[in-house]
Amino acid sequence: MLESDPSRDFSKHEDPSIAVPCSYIPLPDGPHTRELASARRMPPKRAIFKVFSGVLILALVFAIIIGGRNSDVHANGNALLATSTSSMASEPLRPVSRGVSAGVSEKANHVFSGVEVASFPWNNTMLSWQRTAYHFQPEKNWMNDPNGPMFYKGWYHFFYQYNPHGPVWGDIVWGHAASKDLIHWLHLPLAMVPDQWYDLNGVWTGSATLLPDGRIIMLYTGSTNESVQVQNLAYPANLSDPLLVNWDKYSGNPVLRPPPGIDSKDFRDPTTAWYTSDGKWNIAIGSKVNKTGITLIYHTEDFKSYELLDGLLHAVPGTGMWECVDFYPVSKTSGKGLDTSANGPEVKHVFKTSLDNDKNDYYAIGTYDEKSGRWVPDNPKIGIELRYDYGIFYASKSFYDLHKGRRVLWGWIHESDSEIADVKKGWASVQSIPRTVLLDTKTGTNLLQWPVEEVDNLRLTSREFERVEVKAGSVVPLDIDAATQLDIFAEFELDKEALEMTAQTNVEFSCSTSGGAAERGALGPFGLLVLADDSLSEQTPVYFFIAKGIDGNLKTFFCADQTRSSEATDVNKQIYGSSVPVLKDEKLSVRLLVDHSIVEIFAQGGRTCITSRVYPTKAIYGAARLFLFNNATEATVTSSLKIWQMNSAFIRPFQPGQDA
Amino acid sequence: MKLLLLIFLVQSVLQTIYLPASQGAVQPMDVRLIEQTCKQTPLYDVCVSILKSDSRSSKADVTGLALIMVDVLKAKATGTTNYIKTLLRGNLKGDVRRGLSSCADLYNTVLEADIPVAIEALQKGDPKFAEQAANDAGIEARSCESSFSGHSPLTESNKSVQDVSSVAAAIVR
């Protein structure tokens, strides 16, 4: 809630005297004393008047005293406040930790965390390089949450929060694009705009439900003309149009208003519905009560009238507002995706939420008992624990792709450069490459995410490197021509002696608080330097760091270090990452999708993912290079890699003659 | 008789003066909301002095207080922009002129992007974008200050904008 700002001295404070309008006037040395004095000299006939005037005077005096005393109370009260606030202001202020007890990590919310930065003189060459070649983004302007992804009549559909007027959030509408393969997107006309009272202040996030009879239900949040968050129903105007260009809004909208006890601004982002054996459809909507994030469930049969269930799907105290909740089944056995309504003994259910407080997406795996409508996490001690992605990845949404029988996940990847650069370049945000989501059957405790296989179709030429030895403290250039549009798969092995010998450490390592790739350990860091220039003045290390705990067991960490990713001072310089489970006899492996200003990184088959935005000023176009590095002090690392040049996806507006 | 009348007049005059004081001109409820809200910002005194001296704050809820703060931010940014324009008309050294041009761009972003986004997000009920916009304004003010290699003619303005933007962002939270 409060920002930490080491560069600002919080012990300095303004003059503590508060400008409170204080309307009492100092008591006049009143006329009453003079009156009393003159009254004494009056003749007895006027004694009555004297008494009467005395009474009046007394009354007047009382009024003055009482009035004065009240003002005194106010003045004293304010004075007390003045002293107490000045003592408060002199204490150093620290950011309030949210939900740490619930397993939610501390994370700086904002790009620069109070560092004094000059605005970098970005030029058009640098800025235009930043546009991605094969990630979804509109031609210009601002984008945020993915909406209503689905497959219908041979096309994948993607909708998104979009500002048609500029590269910052505002005037939000539903953008729309379609693709045959989740990669080659064609822009279509806007699907929905704020043209009704119930979405006049925002056509916000929503999800699609495909009914067995072929109908398509789109539920979305509208911000009404009075800024109340409600849920609305929309559907395609013409189901025989495979491109679903036009959409109609149900005349009886809104179908859901905030229920009693829920604030009108804490009720948004309805999920895809799932069908339960009682013949009802269920949807979940995230919300909060005080500081407890919660998820409400509703029953419906026709998507027009709803019944709020008594129980909550899930709740975790101290986590704040839950946005974009997602709830879906994963198979314990098959390597396939499941329809949102699937259930059974071979099925686990994933609950996911986006936390408004720290702008990260969290998930937990558990069991859903549809009879009671309860979902219980496997690890009830922590309410929501794992992150989909340890870099930038928010408001994510999954859908069941019935075309290929997989669960596919979209995530919004915002910029981490300065707003003024976004305004200069005229756009902001991209989407992740859609990822398949599967339960990691080897660990049972996390999901695996992996870029959809169709992205492999963008691969052009490849180069293979077999068993390249990288000695401790060295950097090896990889000769691959261009290095800004790449698909890299790399495996790493450490020499066994180093692993056994290394002294035990009892310091708990964390990517974000470490010294990055420059901090040397016995068994790390080692990995790749992407978007680096020849002189390494700019470099983005993506690496493993192996630490040996007190118990003698090895723990592997996987990080992406942005501290030297750009000479520009006005870009995010954090280090992202987390620990990654590595099972016995598993090699260390990583896949990277490098696409100009975005790098998506998948370690150990997608057990730990990191998405990073990178804005180099020199390591761009033909000057970008790729290196292997090993900054460990003891271990030698051997790496085998395959590196593909990636084609553009040619994402562009739909052309009726060419594309239909 | 005249004495009585005089006393009566004096009394009624003094009563009208004291009556408001006995009721309290500073309404306890609004003050409490302002103080509670400002306690949750990094610059309590800045926050309180701005809100208490703005008459709109007496009828405002927390969103309203945030909007007031954003309005003050807009006023300060506008003031700084005008000041920059005035300075640019004068005879300046190259590096100062460059710094000021950079600042003109930055403050233009504050007025064209940040303020409208913050207002829209607060009014439409998706405050996280307002928080980001308020923070961006502070970042732009900081960037402006860092644009000068030597002495900055805008230090006070920039600090003022930074302070108000950090308070606004915290209120939005």
Side-chain angles (χ1 to χ4, degrees):
Chain A
M1 174 140 59
L2 296 166
E3 270 200 313
S4 73
D5 187 351
S7 70
R8 281 198 249 144
D9 181 7
F10 285 114
S11 61
K12 282 203 284 261
H13 53 86
E14 314 290 335
D15 182 351
S17 64
I18 301 166
V20 174
C22 203
S23 56
Y24 76 93
I25 301 162
L27 296 180
D29 275 355
H32 59 282
T33 45
R34 277 185 273 117
E35 297 302 339
L36 279 167
S38 58
R40 261 181 238 120
R41 286 187 242 113
M42 285 287 143
K45 200 172 103 176
R46 301 208 173 173
I48 301 163
F49 287 115
K50 191 169 81 180
V51 171
F52 197 68
S53 50
V55 171
L56 278 174
I57 286 156
L58 274 171
L60 179 62
V61 168
F62 269 125
I64 292 166
I65 290 169
I66 290 163
R69 205 167 271 156
N70 279 342
S71 317
D72 281 341
V73 165
H74 282 289
N76 285 334
N78 291 328
L80 278 169
L81 283 167
T83 48
S84 61
T85 52
S86 34
S87 62
M88 259 174 38
S90 60
E91 278 164 27
L93 293 162
R94 273 175 236 97
V96 174
S97 180
R98 263 170 308 290
V100 174
S101 57
V104 175
S105 62
E106 297 269 20
K107 186 185 184 277
N109 230 342
H110 307 294
V111 176
F112 304 113
S113 306
V115 175
E116 300 281 340
V117 290
S119 179
F120 186 81
W122 294 100
N123 61 38
N124 280 333
T125 309
M126 297 166 183
L127 292 176
S128 52
W129 175 87
Q130 293 174 9
R131 268 196 83 85
T132 66
Y134 57 92
H135 281 73
F136 181 82
Q137 55 181 132
E139 293 179 288
K140 56 181 178 157
N141 294 336
W142 167 275
M143 166 170 66
N144 55 292
D145 303 4
N147 297 155
M150 57 184 204
F151 179 86
Y152 181 73
K153 282 196 156 78
W155 290 91
Y156 288 97
H157 286 267
F158 181 69
F159 304 89
Y160 54 98
Q161 298 281 279
Y162 177 63
N163 181 352
H165 302 134
V168 294
W169 181 88
D171 299 337
I172 293 295
V173 301
W174 271 40
H176 184 191
S179 165
K180 292 272 187 189
D181 64 358
L182 288 171
I183 298 293
H184 295 87
W185 292 96
L186 301 165
H187 296 303
L188 292 169
L190 301 177
M192 292 199 285
V193 297
D195 56 5
Q196 302 296 324
W197 69 267
Y198 49 76
D199 60 19
L200 197 66
N201 278 332
V203 187
W204 291 347
T205 292
S207 308
T209 304
L210 272 58
L211 300 184
D213 64 7
R215 281 182 296 151
I216 297 174
I217 298 290
M218 192 71 85
L219 285 174
Y220 71 97
T221 299
S223 182
T224 68
N225 58 343
E226 288 172 353
S227 296
V228 175
Q229 293 171 7
V230 297
Q231 315 312 323
N232 300 312
L233 170 63
Y235 35 78
N238 181 2
L239 279 170
S240 53
D241 167 20
L243 288 174
L244 300 175
V245 171
N246 297 110
W247 288 76
D248 286 338
K249 297 176 184 175
Y250 168 51
S251 56
N253 277 331
V255 294
L256 271 176
R257 291 168 195 270
I262 296 297
D263 191 276
S264 62
K265 294 195 164 65
D266 292 338
F267 186 62
R268 54 186 183 271
D269 312 332
T271 62
T272 296
W274 65 94
Y275 195 74
T276 42
S277 54
D278 54 0
K280 302 252 165 59
W281 290 96
N282 303 251
I283 60 161
I285 302 181
S287 181
K288 73 170 161 82
V289 174
N290 296 322
K291 294 204 163 94
T292 298
I294 65 169
T295 300
L296 306 163
I297 320 179
Y298 285 87
H299 267 167
T300 182
E301 289 178 60
D302 59 0
F303 294 91
K304 292 175 181 167
S305 66
Y306 294 78
E307 180 204 327
L308 175 62
L309 264 57
D310 278 330
L312 298 171
L313 188 59
H314 194 34
V316 180
T319 52
M321 178 65 189
W322 284 7
E323 305 188 286
C324 301
V325 302
D326 200 1
F327 183 66
Y328 57 87
V330 286
S331 170
K332 292 199 317 200
T333 53
S334 83
K336 295 188 134 290
L338 294 175
D339 181 279
T340 312
S341 302
N343 207 348
E346 298 298 295
V347 168
K348 304 286 308 182
H349 273 76
V350 175
F351 175 80
K352 168 261 165 182
T353 182
S354 292
L355 284 196
D356 195 16
N357 279 356
D358 70 2
K359 309 296 186 292
N360 290 317
D361 282 4
Y362 294 87
Y363 73 89
I365 301 170
T367 310
Y368 176 56
D369 172 18
E370 64 146 72
K371 297 235 170 7
S372 64
R374 296 239 105 82
W375 172 82
V376 177
D378 288 346
N379 187 348
K381 269 195 284 193
I382 304 173
I384 31 173
E385 55 216 81
L386 297 165
R387 280 170 59 176
Y388 271 147
D389 189 297
Y390 290 87
I392 298 176
F393 192 88
Y394 194 65
S396 61
K397 186 176 288 301
S398 74
F399 74 103
Y400 177 61
D401 168 12
L402 39 78
H403 177 56
K404 288 200 170 178
R406 52 187 176 178
R407 179 143 300 261
V408 178
L409 177 70
W410 285 93
W412 166 42
I413 318 295
H414 63 73
E415 301 298 307
S416 64
D417 64 352
S418 69
E419 186 192 47
I420 193 161
D422 296 347
V423 169
K424 271 195 195 151
K425 71 195 190 195
W427 61 272
S429 301
V430 302
Q431 297 288 332
S432 64
I433 291 292
R435 304 172 177 183
T436 54
V437 179
L438 287 169
L439 181 66
D440 185 352
T441 49
K442 291 186 189 153
T443 62
T445 54
N446 56 270
L447 296 172
L448 293 173
Q449 298 162 63
W450 198 251
V452 289
E453 59 185 9
E454 288 90 333
V455 79
D456 301 359
N457 297 333
L458 293 172
R459 291 171 173 169
L460 299 167
T461 55
S462 69
R463 274 221 60 185
E464 274 188 74
F465 298 85
E466 290 285 330
R467 304 193 61 77
V468 179
E469 193 182 68
V470 191
K471 288 204 162 21
S474 64
V475 173
V476 174
L478 295 167
D479 177 23
I480 53 161
D481 300 327
T484 54
Q485 283 171 220
L486 301 173
D487 185 354
I488 305 169
F489 185 77
E491 286 178 328
F492 297 87
E493 274 177 87
L494 285 158
D495 64 289
K496 296 250 166 29
E497 304 86 58
L499 279 170
E500 266 137 46
M501 270 192 325
T502 298
Q504 279 153 359
T505 168
N506 54 5
V507 177
E508 183 67 20
F509 178 87
S510 150
C511 293
S512 53
T513 54
S514 72
E519 182 183 307
R520 309 187 71 182
L523 303 174
F526 58 88
L528 290 156
L529 301 177
V530 301
L531 294 171
D533 66 332
D534 274 324
S535 65
L536 296 179
S537 65
E538 290 183 334
Q539 49 171 280
T540 301
V542 171
Y543 57 93
F544 290 95
F545 187 95
I546 301 175
K548 206 171 206 176
I550 323 167
D551 54 0
N553 285 330
L554 296 174
K555 194 168 182 190
T556 308
F557 294 84
F558 182 67
C559 322
D561 177 356
Q562 299 179 120
T563 54
R564 287 170 295 167
S565 63
S566 173
E567 290 195 348
T569 44
D570 56 353
V571 299
N572 189 305
K573 302 261 166 127
Q574 286 178 291
I575 303 165
Y576 300 137
S578 146
S579 62
V580 55
V582 179
L583 303 177
K584 195 171 183 311
D585 296 334
E586 268 184 4
K587 280 197 202 144
L588 295 172
S589 73
V590 60
R591 181 176 183 185
L592 293 94
L593 292 176
V594 179
D595 185 7
H596 296 261
S597 63
I598 184 172
V599 183
E600 283 188 79
I601 312 153
F602 303 84
Q604 298 311 103
R607 264 187 212 134
T608 296
C609 309
I610 305 176
T611 301
S612 179
R613 301 300 309 275
V614 185
Y615 307 97
T617 61
K618 288 190 184 149
I620 58 178
Y621 298 111
R625 302 272 177 270
L626 181 68
F627 298 85
L628 275 169
F629 84 98
N630 175 7
N631 211 16
T633 52
E634 285 173 33
T636 301
V637 169
T638 309
S639 177
S640 299
L641 315 93
K642 193 155 185 192
I643 304 167
W644 293 266
Q645 294 293 334
M646 292 296 266
N647 200 356
S648 163
F650 303 111
I651 295 172
R652 56 183 165 75
F654 178 86
Q655 251 119 41
Q658 272 174 33
D659 300 315
Chain B
M1 201 39 94
K2 276 193 196 139
L3 173 63
L4 208 61
L5 203 60
L6 185 64
I7 291 166
F8 181 77
L9 279 171
V10 169
Q11 177 186 43
S12 38
V13 165
L14 285 171
Q15 287 266 7
T16 49
I17 291 170
Y18 286 110
L19 223 54
S22 65
Q23 281 177 14
V26 182
Q27 298 294 334
M29 272 317 288
D30 348 303
V31 171
R32 233 175 281 158
L33 180 63
I34 292 174
E35 283 156 5
Q36 247 175 290
T37 306
C38 288
K39 269 185 205 169
Q40 295 168 80
T41 71
L43 297 165
Y44 179 87
D45 297 318
V46 170
C47 176
V48 164
S49 78
I50 289 175
L51 291 177
K52 280 190 177 172
S53 57
D54 191 310
S55 56
R56 295 171 288 181
S57 61
S58 60
K59 291 183 229 83
D61 57 4
V62 179
T63 302
L65 294 177
L67 281 163
I68 293 171
M69 200 54 70
V70 170
D71 203 44
V72 169
L73 184 61
K74 178 179 179 184
K76 287 191 184 286
T78 307
T80 309
T81 303
N82 292 335
Y83 184 49
I84 292 172
K85 285 192 192 137
T86 314
L87 289 174
L88 280 169
R89 274 186 239 131
N91 190 0
L92 302 164
K93 279 198 286 205
D95 57 341
V96 176
R97 182 167 288 279
R98 271 191 294 279
L100 285 171
S101 302
S102 184
C103 287
D105 269 344
L106 288 160
Y107 274 95
N108 188 53
T109 305
V110 173
L111 290 169
E112 299 292 308
D114 301 324
I115 302 291
V117 171
I119 294 173
E120 184 179 342
L122 283 166
Q123 287 175 337
K124 293 185 177 182
D126 199 345
K128 67 175 176 283
F129 295 108
E131 188 195 347
Q132 183 64 55
N135 279 312
D136 283 333
I139 288 165
E140 272 127 32
R142 275 202 287 278
S143 292
C144 167
E145 191 60 16
S146 305
S147 307
F148 298 99
S149 45
H151 163 72
S152 157
L154 300 173
T155 305
E156 271 195 54
S157 305
N158 284 329
K159 172 136 203 328
S160 181
V161 169
Q162 280 177 65
D163 287 349
V164 176
S165 69
S166 75
V167 169
I171 296 180
V172 171
R173 256 211 168 292

